[in-house]
Amino acid sequence: MSHESRNPSHLSSDFFSDTLPLGLVPKARGSTSNAAGRFERLARETFIDGWDAELEQSVMRTTTVDERPRKIITRNDSPDIPFDRSINPYRGCEHGCSYCFARPSHAYLGLSPGLDFETRLTRKLGAAEVLRRELSAKSYEVAPIAMGTNTDPYQPIEARDRIMRSILEVLAEHNHPVTIVTKGTLIERDIDILAPMAAKGLVHVGVSVTTLGSRLSRQLEPRAPVPARRLKTIRALSEAGIPVRVMVAPIIPALTDHELEAILTAAATHGAKAAAYIMLRLPLEVAPLFEEWLETHVPDRAARVMNRVRELRGGKANDSTFGTRMRGEGEWAELMSKRFEVALSRTGLSRKGTVLRTDLFAVPPKPGDQLSLF
């Protein structure tokens, strides 16, 4: 049974605790609840009404809907991000990372940042054709396009839908620079496209590694490849001549921060050339969702983790101030920065990634631009 109630303006952990329909099992999911997003006027909550009825249990499956976008390149002017444009082939992400800062974006669709984010996905059909049209515009000025900035372009459904690959084919055809961030090993499928692009100085890849522990990874990132497999991806890309940066992201205080040096060492051993890190961010609905995850999987550390997070964020669960949101503030943030610099020196990794070329870009012809031979 369920009932509807007004959606409170403050989303507390209690509000998120009883929203999963009875009998539905969130197996291998990063979230265990599915509360309404912040824009919804009503919220639905499951409760026991006293009837002793048998419930048929079922596993929550992934579903997809199609979108035909009019534009595919998203622009941003954030001063602390090193790119001004990006492409996301999918909305939502089946990897289900419990800490994902992109979860609140599902609220714009009228869906929950909880389980909806990882089970109700949108795929952008025709993305390659739209991209070709945008690149051919007279006003277009070339600069690297970033991919994987919101949701992972190599999440499981990409194996079937191949939207990311179709986008890469257009970028490769016209020598357009691209940066990719992923924790999906499916990127190895596209080495045949990426290696020639890398030889021209048109691509670099960031592989995200949060922890080296397979058990913790399965809890944090339930449908992402295990860390050891991601390290093999770093090696495969590097051996193909594709520059790789390891992304230690996010660093979770009092849970994964002690692994910083080990992750950098392992990545360097597998061929990574550069490294970066990002401190845990908990914007909007992510904070109560992550607190729920902590209480479920590491209850003995939950309070300590959140206390350290608030120490980094001026007493709050999150601080979105440009310039500090990726690193945090205070003594602990400074310590992590120093540890990172020392680790870079020891491993030979660089803070700076590859500078990509823009001078090779060939503008796609518009329909009708090519003259007939007859």
Side-chain angles (χ1 to χ4, degrees):
M1 300 290 291
S2 64
H3 72 274
E4 291 185 341
S5 62
R6 292 289 179 182
N7 189 3
S9 59
H10 176 69
L11 299 177
S12 67
S13 296
D14 290 338
F15 175 68
F16 274 74
S17 61
D18 294 312
T19 55
L20 191 64
L22 295 174
L24 198 58
V25 181
K27 186 176 180 180
R29 299 295 182 180
S31 177
T32 57
S33 59
N34 208 37
R38 61 194 178 281
F39 301 117
E40 302 307 301
R41 187 172 63 89
L42 300 174
R44 187 176 295 274
E45 187 174 350
T46 301
F47 71 100
I48 302 296
D49 64 359
W51 287 92
D52 191 21
E54 286 288 328
L55 291 174
E56 182 180 350
Q57 291 197 337
S58 60
V59 176
M60 180 168 276
R61 304 295 183 185
T62 300
T63 61
T64 59
V65 296
D66 296 334
E67 171 188 347
R68 291 197 173 273
R70 289 178 294 179
K71 297 182 66 177
I72 195 67
I73 299 177
T74 299
R75 303 282 180 158
N76 83 84
D77 57 1
S78 300
D80 57 352
I81 294 179
F83 58 86
D84 68 352
R85 66 201 70 185
S86 62
I87 295 176
N88 289 286
Y90 304 98
R91 299 181 191 272
C93 185
E94 196 175 6
H95 282 158
C97 301
S98 57
Y99 51 74
C100 182
F101 71 88
R103 284 181 177 272
S105 63
H106 240 45
Y108 292 108
L109 305 178
L111 298 173
S112 171
L115 283 165
D116 281 349
F117 178 79
E118 48 193 292
T119 62
R120 300 177 66 178
L121 312 179
T122 300
R123 54 188 181 182
K124 300 180 182 180
L125 299 185
E129 291 75 15
V130 177
L131 173 61
R132 194 186 302 274
R133 185 177 69 240
E134 291 188 55
L135 297 183
S136 67
K138 289 184 179 180
S139 60
Y140 184 77
E141 296 182 1
V142 62
I145 291 176
M147 305 199 66
T149 59
N150 196 53
T151 58
D152 201 315
Y154 286 107
Q155 58 182 287
I157 61 172
E158 167 62 17
R160 177 196 67 198
D161 295 325
R162 300 170 71 88
I163 298 175
M164 175 63 172
R165 184 173 176 87
S166 69
I167 290 171
L168 288 179
E169 288 172 342
V170 171
L171 297 175
E173 180 183 353
H174 300 287
N175 291 326
H176 194 292
V178 61
T179 68
I180 303 169
V181 175
T182 184
K183 53 173 63 76
T185 56
L186 184 59
I187 191 174
E188 294 175 18
R189 177 201 64 188
D190 295 338
I191 285 178
D192 63 317
I193 298 176
L194 297 173
M197 292 184 74
K200 297 177 183 179
L202 294 173
V203 63
H204 70 74
V205 174
V207 175
S208 174
V209 180
T210 310
T211 174
L212 294 178
S214 58
R215 182 173 181 274
L216 180 57
S217 177
R218 282 295 183 220
Q219 294 172 331
L220 278 169
E221 311 150 333
R223 298 197 178 212
V226 295
R229 185 63 184 84
R230 286 180 235 174
L231 291 174
K232 290 182 179 179
T233 294
I234 291 176
R235 185 180 297 283
L237 295 171
S238 299
E239 290 179 349
I242 301 165
V244 181
R245 175 194 299 231
V246 61
M247 310 288 292
V248 189
I251 291 178
I252 303 175
L255 187 63
T256 66
D257 59 280
H258 65 283
E259 296 191 66
L260 174 63
E261 291 82 359
I263 293 172
L264 295 181
T265 299
T269 301
H270 284 76
K273 300 301 181 185
Y277 77 94
I278 298 175
M279 201 62 65
L280 177 68
R281 297 170 56 198
L282 300 175
L284 301 168
E285 293 97 336
V286 185
L289 283 167
F290 188 70
E291 288 188 67
E292 182 181 65
W293 180 91
L294 289 170
E295 292 293 346
T296 300
H297 294 283
V298 287
D300 57 321
R301 302 192 202 180
R304 184 181 176 195
V305 171
M306 290 309 301
N307 287 340
R308 183 54 55 84
V309 167
R310 293 185 179 93
E311 179 184 332
L312 286 163
R313 304 298 183 186
K316 300 178 291 185
N318 189 64
D319 181 4
S320 59
T321 303
F322 290 134
T324 60
R325 58 179 178 160
M326 306 295 185
R327 296 287 185 267
E329 295 182 285
E331 294 182 359
W332 199 83
E334 292 177 7
L335 175 61
M336 290 303 301
S337 178
K338 291 177 181 177
R339 284 176 56 190
F340 180 69
E341 293 297 336
V342 171
L344 289 184
S345 178
R346 289 177 177 173
T347 58
L349 294 169
S350 171
R351 176 185 286 274
K352 297 181 179 180
T354 303
V355 177
L356 302 182
R357 297 184 64 176
T358 59
D359 59 309
L360 300 178
F361 176 58
V363 180
K366 294 181 179 179
D369 281 356
Q370 295 180 334
L371 298 178
S372 172
L373 296 177
F374 304 101

